[in-house]
Structures are given as structure tokens and as C-alpha cells.
Amino acid sequence: MKKIIFLYVLLFVTVFSFGQRKYAADRYFKEYAYKKSAELYKTIYNKGDETYLVISRLADSHYFNVDFDKAEKWYAELMNKFEVIASPKHVFRYAQTLKSNGKINESDKWLLKLKEVKGNDSRAIALEKNKDYFVEYTNKEKTFINIHNVSSNSKYSDFGGFIYDNTLYFASTRPDEENKKIYQWNNQPYLNIYTSKLKRLEEDKALDVELSEKITALSTKYHESNAVISKNGKTMYFTRDNYDGDKLKSDKQRTTHLKIYKAEKIYETWGNVKELPFNSDEYSTGHPALSADEKTLYFVSDMPNGYGGTDIYKVAIEDDGSYGKPENLGETINTEGREMFPFAGKDNRLYFASNGHLGLGALDIFESKIENNTYSDPVNLGAPVNGPRDDFAFVINDQRTAGFFSSNREDGRGDDDIYSFTIYKCKEDINGIVSDSRTGDPIDKVTVRLINEKGEPVSKQLTNLDGSYSFDKIDCEKNFIVVASKDDYKVTEKETATLDVNKKVLKTDLQLESLIVEDQIVINPIYFNFNLFNIREDAEYELEKIVTVMKNHPDMIIKIESHTDSRGTKEYNRILSDNRAKSTRDYIISRGISSNRIESATGYGEDQLLNDCNDKNQKKCSEEEHQQNRRSYFYILSDTKNVKAIVNK
């Protein structure tokens, strides 16, 4: 988007005077007439003037005019002749040009050279820390979808945006009867602020806008843009050339800067326009943005003592309508490059454009979370919002469902276009039936929980009479675990993953294994270490199921039987199994179960083997076969009606 960013924003860029030499070329360059300055500097070069000044300005003219192929050629020539003395800004612009032309590796190589030119350059340091950034940003998790070039775009420059009362406020250089004066830098009319009513093309699809209308009450014969409106609709902040209503005002070098103005809504018309007190004739302020609570005004400026070409600042809006002292947001946000177009979302997130943080092209859009008056490290929004060209002026509605950004990406309608987007809201349903693993019958009142990848509960519900459950509108492309639990059943879980198909239904059935089968409480085998009878940790886990069942049924009385395999003497095995049965009993009692609810705990040794792995059999039994004989039983002797109902099921 160089044509409009530099039409509008390069008013921020300091231009040095080189006296009378090459007066015409220098003058056009200073006036941002880069097409004309490129033509003149090329002529000067062809006549033998191959100085740093001429080649760098020839390259810069093409760079600012978005002609990256020619810009790359002349920056390459500049580096070939003057790499040793090349300035950081020209090394950086060369790297950016290469990236916009798809030469990522070569671009990164030159970006790293900034550390040689300027040892502590944050852009080179960031690249060293994250050399895989390009793949990461290109393959960002899907968030912004339905990217749509809105119908109000013209063949001229249309950019920026602010959403208020179902209306999009934006800037445009489109001509009309009152807007015919041409700005020589890009041969387009001056910027004016326009409005367009929002409309949605289809349900859950892209936003679009209806026919646009200029805010004539704020229009002058110079630039106005970047409007932002207070919640009550009575105050507007916007950017305008330093124009006093009679003539343009400038600094000592005859450069006209930008200023922020405030307008009031008087009935149905904007009026009583006043410039803000922290403006200056010596530097630019622009791109106003209000915080969610409207107590802070963010803006962009090239005022002295900043970090780069343009920085983002904030200023307090006092209760009496006055303003505090402007404060730079600091090096977390601002870089040696350009930061601009801030937007403060309702969710305490600051969005802005930057070419100083690692990106996919020229200007990229970034997001920073605001917490306790501090800003988190900016996150690149990635593709498809960002790309090889300039992407900027990001805004999102209060519901975080849709918004707009601007870009000069290829295949647009004009120099800069406004694009709408919607937030990825792919949703799927997860449902199923919970049934008894033994009988196949559905089970009602089962607690079913949906757990995300972090182990956090997402949702919980009880099954219906038919055993059914349903989690509706779950995020797509996520991994989950469905956990089912009910008294007297073993907890069951099952992994599932949503796909990338909106409104798809994922069937996830589960079966619960009853802990009460006929006249027993059935758990997994309780293991003891060889020749020992103390309760191991894994045995504790299983015995807790016995404890839970008995606590669920306060009248339940059980007896415990323990058995061993045939290895060892019969007498020894009988003693060992009896000790193990009593250890099991003692553990259950230690967990709060009354001793009179356990009628007996008896060990039978190898007297009741389940297979022919006995001392008389000569065959060698496997460990698995011996394990069948090492077991414990928990028989139910008396119980409540509820247990009998389960037993008879």
C-alpha cells in the first residue's frame, strides 16, 4: 500500500535538504512525488552521477511507489557499491523489498546485517530468536476467514475503518464534485472521510457495505482520514493536514505535518472542530484510537525521542475533557521501523500495523494484550490477513465476530482496498449413547464431561433416559476426551477430535462397566509384590472403587476372599492369601468404612484354582495362566434395594 501509506503517512518521514544540487529531483522527492523523482534521479544516474544519494533516492522513490521490482534492482545496486556505508534504513528497505518479492531467505540475510550496521537493532535480534517465523506466520491457526474485498472500494485509495452504529467510517481519495484537487504525489484527489452502512452477504459469511457517503461537514481541500467516534456518538477524533481553514501551515523546512482534531455532533452534523493541544507544527500526530473505557487516546507520531520512524503513543483523557502528557508505549510495541494505525479492541487488545516487527511483507498487523497497563509481546496475525504487501488499519466489532483491514495486495480494485473478515466460528456437535457394557442397555443420569487438550473441563451434562448426551457447538479442529461416570460404574473415557467441517455431528458412544455384577463388586485384579501382602499404590486405586461403592450404599455388607496360584506350599499360600485378604480389609476400614460391614476376610491359598496349573500337572504354565488364579473376590451379603435393582438388571 505504499501509495497511500506514504501519501498519508510519509508526512511523518524527515526529509533532508541537499541544497540546490539536483534541485528538481530533490524537490519532487521532498513533496512525495515519487514517480517524478524516480524519473529525474534515473536521468541523473544515467549522466554519470552514481553517488549514494542518487541511487538511494532512486531506490526509495520506487519503494515508496510500490514498484518493488525496480526498487529491488536499485537497492541491489546501492548495496553492491556502498554496502560498507549503507544506512540501516536502506538495508532494512532492501530486506523488505526482497520479502515483498518473495525472496524470503535473501531478505532474512539482509535483515540480519542490521546487527552489523547497528549492533542492537531489535529487528535483527528478533530474527535470530525466531528464524522459522515465516512458516509459522504463513501457517497460522485458522482464525480470520471469509476475506472479502468490500463493494465500496474504488480504483482509488480506500483504507482505514471504524465501526459505529452499524456503519463503517473510512478514508478515500475518490473524486467527486467537491473533491477534484489533485495531490501530486499520487495524482489522486485528497483524502476525505466516508461512511457506509454494513450488511452481511449471507449468514455466517463475509461482511460487506452499501453505497458510501462523504462527511461533507468535515471536508476541506486537503487530507482528512482515520475517524474514531465515542460510544455516545457525540465526539469524533480524526486526522487532518495542518490546515487552519485558510492555508496549510508548515515547519521550518516547509513540511506540512498531520494533526489530530476533535469534532462534536451538533444535532445531525459534525462541527465545532478543534485541534488537540499536544499537536505541533514541527512533527505529525495522527491515527487516533480510543480505549474501551474511553479514558485513553492512542495515536501515532514522529515526535522527537521516539524509537523509530513513527511510534504509537497514548494520552490520558481527563474527566474535565483535558489531556495528560503523551506517553510512548515503549520498546515492546515500538521499533526502529514504523508502527501505526492503532486500534484498541473491547477485549483489551491493541492491534496495530508495523514493519519493524517480524512479518510476511511490508506492513503487517499485530496484536498485543493490555494487562495492568502493560503490553504483551506483539503477535503477528499471520495469513491470510497479512501477506507480502502492506496490511494495516485492522478493526474488529465488539462481539469479535467480524471486522475490517486494509491492504494493497495484488488483485485489488485500487491502490489500497478495504477487506472484511469474519472470525472462524466452525462449530461441531459431539453426541452419543452411554450404555452398559454387559447388557447393552442405555444408562440414564450418567455424568458426561468434555475435557480439552489442557485437561480443562469444557462442558458437563447428564444423559437422558435413552442414555443420550450432546455437546453442541464445539470448536472445530480440537482434541477432546469424553469422560463418563456414575455411581457403581467404572469411569470410562474416550478420545475424540473435531474436524474442519462446520455443523458436523461426531458420534462418540461410551460403555460403562458396572462395579456390581450379580452378588459381587468387581474390580481389576489387586496385585501384591512377590511374597508380600502390603497394599501397593496400584492396588489402592482399585480398592478405592470398593470404598466408593460401599459409601454409596451405607447398608452394604461384604466378605473378602483372596486366592493364590499353586506355586509354593499349600500351607504357605493359605497364610499368604489370608494376610492379603486382611490387608485388603484393613485398607477399606482405614478409608472410613465400618469394620462391622466386612463380615470376613479369608484367604484360600491354592485350594480353588480356576485352571489346571496345579502341583500335580507336569506342564509348564505361563505367567498369564498363573495370574488367573491370583485373585480376590468381594461378595455382597446384604444391601439396599438400589443395589438389588442393579444386580437384577
Side-chain angles (χ1 to χ4, degrees), residues 291-407:
S291 62
D293 61 9
E294 300 190 348
K295 294 182 179 180
T296 302
L297 184 71
Y298 295 93
F299 65 95
V300 173
S301 179
D302 63 344
M303 67 176 64
N305 302 317
Y307 289 87
T310 55
D311 285 1
I312 299 176
Y313 291 78
K314 66 179 180 179
V315 63
I317 303 175
E318 307 295 352
D319 293 339
D320 61 1
S322 62
Y323 300 89
K325 183 179 179 181
E327 178 184 345
N328 190 298
L329 294 195
E331 60 185 350
T332 300
I333 299 297
N334 295 313
T335 68
E336 296 89 340
R338 292 181 293 124
E339 281 69 46
M340 50 185 56
F341 293 98
F343 171 75
K346 187 178 180 181
D347 54 353
N348 284 327
R349 301 187 189 196
L350 179 70
Y351 300 91
F352 63 96
S354 171
N355 69 356
H357 295 283
L358 287 179
L360 297 178
L363 284 173
D364 272 21
I365 300 167
F366 293 82
E367 172 190 86
S368 174
K369 294 181 180 179
I370 307 171
E371 296 179 355
N372 299 322
N373 205 33
T374 61
Y375 302 87
S376 66
D377 290 338
V379 175
N380 189 300
L381 295 191
V385 170
N386 291 322
R389 299 294 186 92
D390 288 307
D391 305 290
F392 59 105
F394 180 96
V395 296
I396 192 169
N397 62 7
D398 289 346
Q399 297 76 33
R400 284 188 57 78
T401 57
F404 299 89
F405 67 95
S406 302
S407 179

Side-chain angles (χ1 to χ4, degrees), residues 23 78 145 212 298 385 403 478 524 607:
Y23 178 82
L78 184 69
I145 59 172
S212 305
Y298 295 93
V385 170
K478 301 290 184 182
N524 292 328
D607 294 346

